[in-house]
């Protein structure tokens, strides 16, 4: 192993938190600056390192079951949004909700609710069990059909006409492929592209970014849907791309002396974590 790698390391300026995550974390930190603790329904962001930083400050992560037994407390709703039943429970349990739902998600929830109220059959292209998708399905009293792969619809009896929506962090290309495939199967599809442009614009940004480096480290939490999609983009345009969640997962053997290394991340990856990765690489 060489004594000194002399790596040239650059962080992608377009990577890091999207505005929805920034908004939720700012709200949490503002409250924790004045109070000892704050409950948060689910992980505030799909990044274990950032969640640990905030739980050390007093953020208490709870699930829906724990929420049922909570009374007269403050609870943060994260950027992913929640189903109407959560707001109903908050009223019953006299909870104060600090609502940090992302505006893009709220707008989508509203559109889905309107479609449901108009008796449209709704299909949602999204990840099963994902917090945002549960909130979206909640707008339809659980009647929307959720699928994450089109093959799941092969044996489903669908009406001749339906309305198609997407989780905000899905791949735009994939959404349009699905829309076209459903039309080719003979359905009348009212397709609504509801993918967040702050996310989809990163595909093009990443394509350009990763092409400039010998090696690429993509930093993301393993639970991040958006992280998986963006890492695939990195890998497609630079096959020397590696997925890591923290500095412990870096393998020195990936690098050669004088490599140019690019660091990028998901919309849930904090900038401080990418800076940490950079500092680690510069120490080689």
């Amino acid at each position: 192993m060489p004594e000194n790698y002399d790596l040239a390391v650059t962080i992608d300026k377009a990577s890091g938190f999207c505005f929805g995550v920034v908004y939720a974390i700012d709200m949490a930190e503002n409250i924790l600056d004045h109070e000892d603790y704050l409950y948060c329904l689910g992980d505030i962001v799909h990044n274990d390192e950032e969640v640990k930083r905030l739980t050390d400050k007093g953020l208490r992560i709870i699930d829906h079951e724990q929420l049922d037994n909570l009374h007269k407390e403050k609870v943060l709703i994260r950027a992913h949004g929640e189903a109407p039943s959560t707001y109903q429970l908050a009223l019953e349990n006299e909870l104060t909700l600090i609502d940090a739902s992302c505006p893009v998600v709220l707008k989508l929830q509203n559109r889905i609710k309107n479609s449901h109220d108009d008796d449209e059959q709704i299909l949602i292209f999204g990840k099963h069990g994902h917090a945002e998708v549960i909130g979206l399905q909640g707008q339809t009293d659980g009647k929307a059909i959720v699928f994450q792969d089109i093959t799941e619809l092969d044996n489903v009896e669908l009406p001749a006409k339906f309305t198609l929506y997407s989780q905000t962090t899905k791949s735009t290309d994939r959404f349009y492929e699905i829309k076209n495939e459903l039309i080719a199967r003979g359905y009348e599809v009212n397709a609504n592209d509801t993918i967040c442009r702050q996310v989809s614009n990163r595909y093009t940004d990443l394509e350009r970014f990763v092409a400039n480096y010998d090696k690429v480290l993509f930093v993301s939490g393993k639970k991040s849907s958006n992280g998986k999609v963006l890492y695939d983009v990195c890998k497609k345009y630079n096959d020397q791309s590696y997925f890591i969640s923290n500095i412990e997962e870096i393998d020195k053997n990936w690098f050669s002396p004088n490599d140019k290394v690019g660091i990028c991340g998901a919309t849930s990856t904090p900038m401080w974590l990418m800076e940490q990765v950079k500092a680690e690489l510069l120490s080689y």
Side-chain angles (χ1 to χ4, degrees):
M1 243 182 223
E3 277 180 33
N4 200 324
Y5 280 79
D6 283 331
L7 302 173
V9 187
T10 308
I11 296 175
D12 173 27
K13 288 186 175 65
S15 281
F17 291 154
C18 61
F19 70 85
V21 171
V22 170
Y23 179 62
I25 288 173
D26 281 352
M27 281 177 109
E29 289 194 302
N30 287 340
I31 290 168
L32 291 170
D33 282 346
H34 305 103
E35 296 180 26
D36 292 336
Y37 67 90
L38 171 66
Y39 289 103
C40 177
L41 187 53
D43 285 346
I44 190 166
V45 62
H46 286 149
N47 186 282
D48 291 345
E49 315 292 318
E50 180 67 0
V51 168
K52 185 184 182 308
R53 185 183 76 82
L54 289 164
T55 50
D56 287 348
K57 281 189 157 200
L59 194 70
R60 297 179 181 176
I61 309 292
I62 57 168
D63 58 23
H64 285 83
E65 202 176 312
Q66 291 164 303
L67 186 75
D68 288 346
N69 303 312
L70 209 60
H71 295 82
K72 297 183 178 176
E73 291 279 6
K74 278 185 185 165
V75 180
L76 182 84
I77 301 290
R78 60 204 172 150
H80 300 98
E82 278 294 321
S85 54
T86 301
Y87 294 88
Q88 185 56 44
L89 179 71
L91 284 172
E92 291 163 13
N93 288 8
E94 296 179 74
L95 298 169
T96 303
L97 292 185
I98 315 295
D99 199 339
S101 299
C102 170
V104 178
V105 174
L106 285 177
K107 187 179 172 188
L108 171 55
Q109 285 187 349
N110 196 39
R111 286 177 70 179
I112 287 180
K113 186 183 185 310
N114 288 340
S115 286
H116 175 66
D117 290 347
D118 290 340
D119 289 328
E120 296 169 19
Q121 172 63 65
I122 296 163
L123 268 67
I124 300 171
F125 169 45
K127 183 181 176 184
H128 294 294
H130 189 282
E132 181 193 320
V133 174
I134 292 167
L136 298 177
Q137 202 177 18
Q139 309 302 318
T140 71
D141 298 325
K143 289 178 183 159
I145 296 167
V146 174
F147 67 99
Q148 55 191 44
D149 191 280
I150 195 159
T151 55
E152 293 172 41
L153 301 176
D154 290 349
N155 302 313
V156 177
E157 208 165 304
L158 297 172
K161 180 182 179 181
F162 51 77
T163 303
L164 177 67
Y165 287 99
S166 172
Q167 181 181 340
T168 58
T169 52
K170 282 292 181 190
S171 153
T172 319
D173 289 350
R174 190 77 196 100
F175 175 77
Y176 282 103
E177 281 169 19
I178 285 165
K179 172 196 165 182
N180 293 334
E181 170 63 22
L182 289 169
I183 290 169
R185 291 184 186 187
Y187 295 108
E188 189 181 333
V189 183
N190 173 18
N192 296 268
D193 176 353
T194 49
I195 291 159
C196 174
R197 286 303 175 256
Q198 232 197 330
V199 174
S200 62
N201 290 346
R202 293 205 180 175
Y203 306 152
T204 343
D205 292 342
L206 272 184
E207 281 174 34
R208 292 195 200 104
F209 178 78
V210 301
N212 300 317
Y213 299 94
D214 300 309
K215 308 286 160 57
V216 170
L217 290 192
F218 183 83
V219 188
S220 170
K222 293 190 170 61
K223 295 180 199 165
S224 168
S225 299
N226 155 257
K228 290 184 184 72
V229 173
L230 291 177
Y231 173 63
D232 286 344
V233 174
C234 293
K235 198 77 180 155
K236 182 177 175 184
Y237 293 94
N238 185 329
D239 63 357
Q240 296 293 299
S241 296
Y242 301 92
F243 187 113
I244 60 163
S245 295
N246 52 51
I247 56 172
E248 283 77 34
E249 294 178 4
I250 302 171
D251 184 343
K252 260 189 177 180
N253 296 317
W254 292 338
F255 308 104
S256 305
N258 306 310
D259 266 350
K260 283 169 69 184
V261 184
I263 297 171
C264 46
T267 54
S268 51
T269 305
M271 188 52 76
W272 65 261
L273 186 55
M274 290 186 279
E275 296 280 7
Q276 209 178 65
V277 170
K278 179 178 179 177
E280 177 70 12
L281 295 182
L282 291 176
S283 74
Y284 292 169

